[in-house]
Amino acid sequence: MKKKKKNIITYVDENLFFSRDDLIYQVNYKKIKDIDLYLEHLNCLFKKVENKFNAQVIIACSNKFTYKKNPFKKQIIYGKTHQLISQSKLVLGHRSSALFQALYNKVPTIFIKYKNFPILRNFQIQIFANTYFNQTPYYLDNLLLDWNNIKLKIDRKHCNNILREYFKSDDLLNKNFKDNFVKTFNSLI
């Protein structure tokens, strides 16, 4: 059953202040050089998007980190990222694996790079958007300057190929996990 779309636009947060990779690799990796400037630009983008689509931007965050102070000036919802994406009319993000939900639900997605992100981060966003969504990400500055010429597209054929290649098994398409688990379990007894 398809979920009904709501009048929302989801921004998938990838936490600006904290990265679990820092703990794993014990490095001082800075995701962005000037967080305040980035947030100012991002909030300007949110206003443009809300005006164009007559919809509210909601910030989707995982439960791995909780902001003490809301840096976005928008509603933040924790732990419901996939649900929000599936009900959105548009998704904004960088390279979070949660964006695969947009691929699955065929929700138009805009991938955002930023001039003050490290080169590697922008490169990873580029590869992610190209490989899985057949899209070119935009620099945030370009989105702000030329929002009216931004093309929202979904390459349905490419999305279906990615889903089939990486996420679905042809022999399991019409079965759910419970049916397969019970059948496998019963065959082992």
Side-chain angles (χ1 to χ4, degrees):
M1 182 173 107
K2 263 197 159 175
K3 291 191 180 215
K4 187 178 180 194
K5 299 285 183 200
K6 293 184 177 179
N7 201 28
I8 60 171
I9 298 161
T10 299
Y11 171 72
V12 179
D13 177 52
E14 292 184 31
N15 194 295
L16 304 169
F17 307 101
F18 173 76
S19 174
R20 293 207 180 270
D21 292 345
D22 290 349
L23 297 175
I24 295 170
Y25 300 113
Q26 296 179 348
V27 295
N28 189 13
Y29 174 73
K30 215 171 180 187
K31 287 187 173 183
I32 188 164
K33 293 175 187 167
D34 186 344
I35 290 175
D36 293 331
L37 183 62
Y38 173 72
L39 288 169
E40 181 183 323
H41 289 163
L42 193 60
N43 283 311
C44 286
L45 176 66
F46 292 161
K47 286 179 188 169
K48 285 182 179 274
V49 170
E50 286 176 333
N51 289 337
K52 180 170 176 116
F53 291 97
N54 194 28
Q56 177 187 8
V57 171
I58 294 178
I59 312 301
C61 295
S62 73
N63 282 325
K64 297 175 193 168
F65 178 89
T66 303
Y67 287 104
K68 289 180 176 96
K69 183 179 175 189
N70 183 340
F72 301 104
K73 303 173 189 161
K74 299 284 172 199
Q75 179 183 8
I76 296 177
I77 298 178
Y78 293 94
K80 296 189 183 272
T81 303
H82 292 96
Q83 179 184 349
L84 290 168
I85 290 171
S86 68
Q87 296 173 346
S88 293
K89 58 169 44 176
L90 174 67
V91 174
L92 307 169
H94 306 286
R95 64 175 190 94
S96 168
S97 61
L99 293 168
F100 286 122
Q101 189 69 43
L103 184 84
Y104 180 78
N105 289 103
K106 313 279 189 304
V107 179
T109 305
I110 294 177
F111 294 90
I112 303 169
K113 299 190 296 186
Y114 188 60
K115 65 182 178 185
N116 288 336
F117 282 166
I119 292 170
L120 178 60
R121 181 163 168 75
N122 280 327
F123 179 70
Q124 291 168 329
I125 294 167
Q126 181 81 35
I127 296 299
F128 186 84
N130 291 160
T131 303
Y132 298 113
F133 290 79
N134 197 26
Q135 288 191 29
T136 302
Y138 295 95
Y139 277 98
L140 180 54
D141 308 56
N142 294 342
L143 285 169
L144 292 173
L145 291 173
D146 200 19
W147 174 252
N148 292 327
N149 290 323
I150 301 305
K151 304 287 186 243
L152 297 181
K153 67 175 183 115
I154 301 172
D155 185 339
R156 292 185 183 278
K157 183 177 178 184
H158 182 80
C159 287
N160 287 334
N161 287 340
I162 292 296
L163 289 170
R164 194 171 29 262
E165 188 171 334
Y166 295 106
F167 296 101
K168 294 182 179 178
S169 298
D170 290 333
D171 58 336
L172 298 178
L173 284 179
N174 297 319
K175 298 177 185 176
N176 67 27
F177 174 80
K178 178 184 159 257
D179 293 339
N180 288 310
F181 180 79
V182 170
K183 181 180 176 184
T184 303
F185 183 76
N186 286 336
S187 71
L188 296 173
I189 303 179

